[in-house]
Amino acid sequence: MFITFEGVEGSGKSTQIARLQARLEAAGRAVTVTRQPGGCELGLTLRAILLSTKTTNLDSRAELFLYLADRAQHVAEIIRPAQQRGHIVICDRFADSTVAYQGYGRGLDVGLLNTLNDVAVAGAWPQCTLLLDLEPEQGLRRTLARALANPHGADEGRFEAEHLEFHRRVRQGYLALATLHPRRFAVIDASRDVDQVAQDVWQAVAERLAG
Ligand code: TMP
């Protein structure tokens, strides 16, 4: 099974992914956890370019193709082989991020993004997408607190620096995707405490594993 996590900045994906991984492994499942961008060698280089605040004047279409290049390589190098080994794959962001951020956020044509995502994904669409839904204000407060607590962390704030309206459009994009794909998506209220969110994540995954 291929599971993806999506959500605005600061929605708690990393924490929830670690919790889900632990629970699946405790149940005897082999799990591969990965992320986009940055789940493979090429992706690490692209991540540094895409997220650095030092990257200025990146054209929206150039940004799009860097995310797609990361995705194509990541599917070939990490996701497919892990699936072939019988692993459950959990990916922190995937193709839906491109529709939400480059489509709804930047304003690129969503129909075109769907076509390009199909090329990059090459059939490896997730069976289950957990959307950790959160008001962007709340998420951005969390990422700011994290950055202040870790001032020497990686320079990855290019999207956090976008205006609030951008992040609101991203959230609306995700909700629109969830409405379009109700069987694949589970929308989870991520404003609650970590345990409650983890419980909903587990329930959504368990239902899909059973089905
Ligand atoms: P994160 O790994 O810390 O969530 O950061 C990844 C950033 O990249 C996040 O701001 C969302 C953005 N992104 C896109 O804009 N398009 C994409 O296709 C992906 C995968 C991520």
Side-chain angles (χ1 to χ4, degrees), residues 7 9-10 77 82 84 106 131 139 163 165 175 184 192:
E9 317 302 316
E77 196 177 315
Q84 278 156 7
R106 301 275 190 236
L131 172 56
H163 48 92
E165 213 29 64
L175 292 171
R184 173 161 70 87
R192 298 164 305 153

Side-chain angles (χ1 to χ4, degrees), residues 4-204:
T4 57
F5 277 74
E6 297 283 358
V8 294
E9 317 302 316
S11 54
K13 292 180 283 94
S14 314
T15 307
Q16 292 302 328
I17 287 171
R19 296 280 286 258
L20 177 61
Q21 176 182 19
R23 200 151 177 186
L24 285 167
E25 286 176 350
R29 304 284 189 141
V31 181
T32 291
V33 172
T34 185
R35 68 173 176 176
Q36 287 194 344
C40 59
E41 218 34 55
L42 173 69
L44 284 172
T45 306
L46 296 178
R47 183 178 178 95
I49 297 167
L50 281 162
L51 304 192
S52 172
T53 52
K54 294 190 186 79
T55 301
T56 51
N57 284 332
L58 186 62
D59 181 84
S60 299
R61 287 159 306 166
E63 178 183 270
L64 165 69
F65 281 107
L66 294 182
Y67 278 112
L68 292 168
D70 168 62
R71 183 154 309 128
Q73 184 65 28
H74 184 234
V75 166
E77 196 177 315
I78 307 291
I79 294 176
R80 281 266 187 240
Q83 286 180 317
Q84 278 156 7
R85 291 196 302 275
H87 282 211
I88 293 179
V89 177
I90 303 176
C91 193
D92 185 342
R93 297 194 182 280
F94 196 63
D96 299 308
S97 278
T98 297
V99 176
Y101 282 79
Q102 280 65 52
Y104 285 81
R106 301 275 190 236
L108 295 180
D109 181 76
V110 169
L112 177 66
L113 298 184
N114 289 336
T115 305
L116 293 171
N117 259 335
D118 272 334
V119 176
V121 164
W125 279 98
Q127 284 81 46
C128 174
T129 298
L130 288 320
L131 172 56
L132 303 187
D133 181 48
L134 189 66
E135 297 221 346
E137 290 91 328
Q138 198 180 340
L140 290 167
R141 268 200 302 275
R142 287 181 186 173
T143 55
L144 183 63
R146 204 184 300 154
L148 289 173
N150 184 16
H152 303 300
D155 165 35
E156 292 198 335
R158 196 167 69 87
F159 281 88
E160 280 88 342
E162 283 291 339
H163 48 92
L164 193 55
E165 213 29 64
F166 174 88
H167 294 285
R168 290 203 177 114
R169 289 200 300 274
V170 169
R171 182 192 187 198
Q172 289 316 314
Y174 275 133
L175 292 171
L177 279 166
T179 306
L180 254 159
H181 307 286
R183 284 168 60 87
R184 173 161 70 87
F185 269 83
V187 182
I188 293 168
D189 174 1
S191 67
R192 298 164 305 153
D193 79 60
V194 170
D195 290 337
Q196 284 177 309
V197 176
Q199 189 46 40
D200 283 4
V201 165
W202 179 251
Q203 197 180 323

